[in-house]
Amino acid sequence: MLGTFLVLLYAGASLAQNMCEMGDGYKVRLSIKTALGDQAYAWNENEMFLFRATLAFAMRKHFNDSQYNILVCNETQRVSFHFVVADPRNPHALMEKVQVEKAVRASRHRINSAFLLSDSTLEFLGIPPTLATPFRPATPPWLIAFGVVIGAVCAGIIVMLTSSLVQRRR
Amino acid sequence: MDKDARPNWGSPMQFVLACVSYAVGLGNVWRFPYLCQMHGGGGFLIPYVIMLVLEGLPLFYMELAIGQKMRLGSIRAWSAISPYLGGVGLASVLTSLYLCLYYNIINAWSFWYLFNSFQPVLPWAECPLNANRTGPEEECARTTPTQYFFYRQTLNISTSIDETGGLHVGQVLCLLLAWILTYLFILRGVKSAGKVVYFTATFPYLVLFIYLIRGLTLHGAVNGIKYMFMPKMEHLADPKTWVNAATQIFFSLGLGFGSLIAFASYNDYNNNFERQAVVVAFINSGTSIFASIVTFAIYGFKATVNFESCLERTRLLLLNTFEMAEELISLDNISDWIEKLSAKYPEQFDSLAGVWENCSLEDELKTAVEGAGLAFIVYSEAIQNMPLPQLWSVLYFFMLLMLGLGSMLGNVTAIITPLRDFEVVARHISIEALSGLVCLFCLLVGLSFTTASGNYWFTMFNDYAASFSLLFVVLVEVIIVSYVYGIRRFEKDVEDMLGRRPSWFWKILLVAVSPLVLASLFIFYIVSYIQGGTPTYQAWDKHLGASVVTEYPIYGQVVIGLLLASTVSCVPLSALYTYCKTKRRPGTRELSVSQEWTLLGWRCEAELRE
């Protein structure tokens, strides 16, 4: 009984590994030491669990439905790995790459924050970041400074011209 | 008599500060450090100081003497000294006019950068985003954000001088402000200018000092200073070094524009201009050296920052390609790792050939830039990396403004003073109205430099309008004073003003050395013009994100020719005019008056004319 269970477990794990390696997924690369320096955390199984949970959250949030299984493989020392998302309705098929991309882009900021990283240090190779629009004030700031200075200078000219006119009349 | 009396400087100090403010300009900050770097660092100081003594001092002395003696602007002063060669004064005024037209554009740029410094993030620190917000704008991604800000957002430059494009509203407004401010400073002549120069002459030194402290404490500044002061004596054998030293002294002191004559004409008759000439000339050169120490500290910082980011990019490239843990490669051991990896995995290294950058601190330090590129691009790049960049940016661009406006004071005075010497002008137009008219005229013509191709016209004027013509003017001036008018009469005039004759030092320099140096420079310029082929300019290619050397079109070359010919031809044309006038009417006032001058002496004549 136990033996059958273990064999099934082993088969399931290798099947998952196979699906990940064969499947068309995204490569993720993390640069934790570069981003955090002394405050960097070590990458271990717990962090990987968080990654899979965060990505499952992103998929669930975007598609508004049930649980997603994230399969990870090809981990390296660099801290980079491949992942694919299993389709919850059909456990032997994978979600399409385009769908995964949409979900990741929608929740990119949340995913980054979970790891205290940014778009450049938590890279999804092939998914371009959506950068925040910079704040544009209603009046360009240079115009305000310009207005102040030109007002002061014109006032100075008027003062000097009137004073010399007055002097000449006297 | 009192109403028509010539206005005077409030004190001799105002005169000295006005000369300092005029001579110490943008060239001290953006041309001298470049020349130092190009011609062997500390070694360049040797030809520089030698040329200062041989050429700068005597010519400066001569112009101040003439202005103070004649108490007239350049046109009537030179007509009085030598009636046939009086056109040299007219040539000075015309050159000053060309200078005024384009010089205030630099002040407009300084204003633009100054106003844009009042933002939480400096606009030249980051690229703006592209349309779908996935990355930086394409043109900006190909070049650096600072270059993009200068070429695209400040100038909105077109790809060649042929495409005129429209006016840049920001530039127009800033140019308007620059001219209004210039008008405010000169509207009452020396009465108002004399007060302004207290500030425009001294404030830049304060900022340079602050920047010196800040610059020397920056990371990597020492690299720049070491690079500059390491003298590379082999450059002294290159004749170009000596030519550039002579040219730099010449233009830096502002000789030949008529501004010095105009300033000196408002002096007291017995003012000790000899000492003042030496003081101002040495202050000017000292400021150049001081500014280049600051510039090289900043260069060193910028080069080090760029070098370290290059190393960082290389490190990431290695980590990503070879999937190694981050802590294995640091900036210290990166060169060892490069060797190890290239030996162990040569094919993978070759595949990196497209993106591999060779990082070198030497190369970063060697990239020498001059002119607007140094002042606006290199400095703003260095400033954005400093902590609290807005403060440094405001200080720096305000200093550039003071330097530029101080020089503008001299430039505009060189036009207004000679015009006011003509009674028909002085009686009917007040000084405020005349200054206003000159400023308005220069503003309207200067608007053409704010178009999309305006920077190319600016470069043309900058390179040709005031370089060759000035050499010609000053050469003619020194020949007139030494030979036509005679060094003996000049000696007597100086004795009259100062109470003692000029020493043999000044006499030898004026009669023999300076004319020789100027004549050699003149010949050198002609030869290099002829050998240089078609004149070219740097056009900004927005697809490449870099400048491309392009030839001037035919009409551009015609304009260059006109610029040179119009000023140089003033001298022979005016000589011809005087000759025809005296031929027709031998008993004219001019001739008889000049004979009177020779007989009675200058002082009496000056009093009679007043």
Side-chain angles (χ1 to χ4, degrees), chain A residues 27 29-35 76-80 105 123 128-134 136 141-143 145-146 149-150 152-154 156-157 159-161 163-164 167-168, chain B residues 111-112 114-116 118-119 128-129 132-136 169-171 173-174 176-177 180-181 183-184 187-188 192 312 315-316 319-321 323-327 430-432:
Chain A
K27 181 166 174 181
R29 187 190 291 150
L30 289 96
S31 308
I32 309 171
K33 296 267 176 344
T34 316
T76 65
Q77 285 274 352
R78 172 71 179 82
V79 193
S80 69
R105 286 192 81 177
E123 299 167 75
T130 309
L131 303 163
T133 9
R136 287 234 176 284
W142 71 266
L143 201 55
F146 168 79
V149 175
I150 202 169
V153 174
C154 287
I157 290 183
V159 162
M160 288 195 72
L161 284 176
S163 73
S164 56
Q167 256 184 0
R168 217 166 280 163
Chain B
F111 268 122
W112 172 259
L114 177 66
F115 296 149
N116 271 299
F118 293 103
Q119 289 178 56
L129 300 178
N132 46 10
R133 293 197 284 139
T134 53
V169 175
Q171 287 303 299
L173 290 177
C174 290
L176 175 71
L177 176 59
I180 291 181
L181 196 54
Y183 178 58
L184 175 66
L187 80 90
R188 284 234 200 105
S192 53
E312 180 65 28
R315 172 179 164 266
L316 274 177
L319 285 177
N320 294 345
T321 317
E323 303 287 1
M324 300 163 63
E326 284 177 277
E327 55 269 22
S430 69
I431 187 162
E432 291 92 353

Side-chain angles (χ1 to χ4, degrees), chain B residues 6 22 112 220 265 267 325 327 336 342 351 396 410 428 478 505 597:
Chain B
R6 197 170 184 78
Y22 167 66
W112 172 259
S265 71
N267 268 344
E327 55 269 22
D336 303 326
S342 58
S351 67
Y396 173 69
H428 295 290
V478 81
F505 171 76
W597 283 335

Side-chain angles (χ1 to χ4, degrees), chain B residues 194-416:
Chain B
K195 311 273 186 335
V196 170
V197 292
Y198 278 112
F199 188 65
T200 60
T202 52
F203 185 76
Y205 289 98
L206 178 63
V207 176
L208 275 176
F209 182 69
I210 295 175
Y211 255 88
L212 181 71
I213 309 291
R214 170 74 275 204
L216 289 177
T217 53
L218 283 172
H219 165 62
V222 170
N223 294 330
I225 304 269
K226 257 196 290 187
Y227 186 77
M228 174 195 168
F229 280 109
M230 203 85 76
K232 300 165 200 70
M233 290 297 188
E234 56 272 14
H235 286 268
L236 287 184
D238 183 7
K240 263 203 147 273
T241 309
W242 295 85
V243 170
N244 279 335
T247 323
Q248 176 59 15
I249 287 283
F250 183 80
F251 292 125
S252 181
L253 287 173
L255 303 166
F257 285 106
S259 311
L260 296 170
I261 297 181
F263 279 160
S265 71
Y266 297 112
N267 268 344
D268 214 25
Y269 191 72
N270 298 102
N271 176 47
N272 185 2
F273 65 91
E274 180 176 332
R275 191 178 52 190
Q276 291 168 340
V278 177
V279 164
V280 173
F282 275 96
I283 287 180
N284 181 52
S285 294
T287 311
S288 289
I289 298 174
F290 183 36
S292 58
I293 297 178
V294 176
T295 303
F296 275 93
I298 304 278
Y299 259 154
F301 166 66
K302 183 185 100 71
T304 309
V305 164
N306 284 350
F307 174 64
E308 285 177 359
S309 4
C310 179
L311 282 182
E312 180 65 28
R313 285 192 299 273
T314 311
R315 172 179 164 266
L316 274 177
L317 188 63
L318 286 176
L319 285 177
N320 294 345
T321 317
F322 295 101
E323 303 287 1
M324 300 163 63
E326 284 177 277
E327 55 269 22
L328 284 177
I329 307 186
S330 73
L331 290 189
D332 301 321
N333 55 22
I334 192 171
S335 29
D336 303 326
W337 274 108
I338 294 176
E339 279 177 44
K340 258 192 269 185
L341 291 170
S342 58
K344 219 165 150 195
Y345 306 102
E347 316 87 43
Q348 270 185 303
F349 237 82
D350 289 335
S351 67
L352 287 176
V355 286
W356 185 259
E357 298 170 64
N358 273 323
C359 302
S360 155
L361 187 58
E362 265 294 302
D363 285 347
E364 294 285 343
L365 284 171
K366 271 210 193 95
T367 51
V369 191
E370 62 162 333
L374 170 57
F376 292 100
I377 298 178
V378 171
Y379 258 90
S380 55
E381 193 175 318
I383 286 171
Q384 100 203 21
N385 287 320
M386 295 182 193
L388 207 57
Q390 289 82 1
L391 167 69
W392 300 107
S393 181
V394 167
L395 265 181
Y396 173 69
F397 290 110
F398 197 64
M399 175 189 79
L400 280 193
L401 259 180
M402 291 297 108
L403 289 173
L405 284 172
S407 302
M408 275 307 286
L409 284 180
N411 295 335
V412 186
T413 310
I415 302 177
I416 293 182

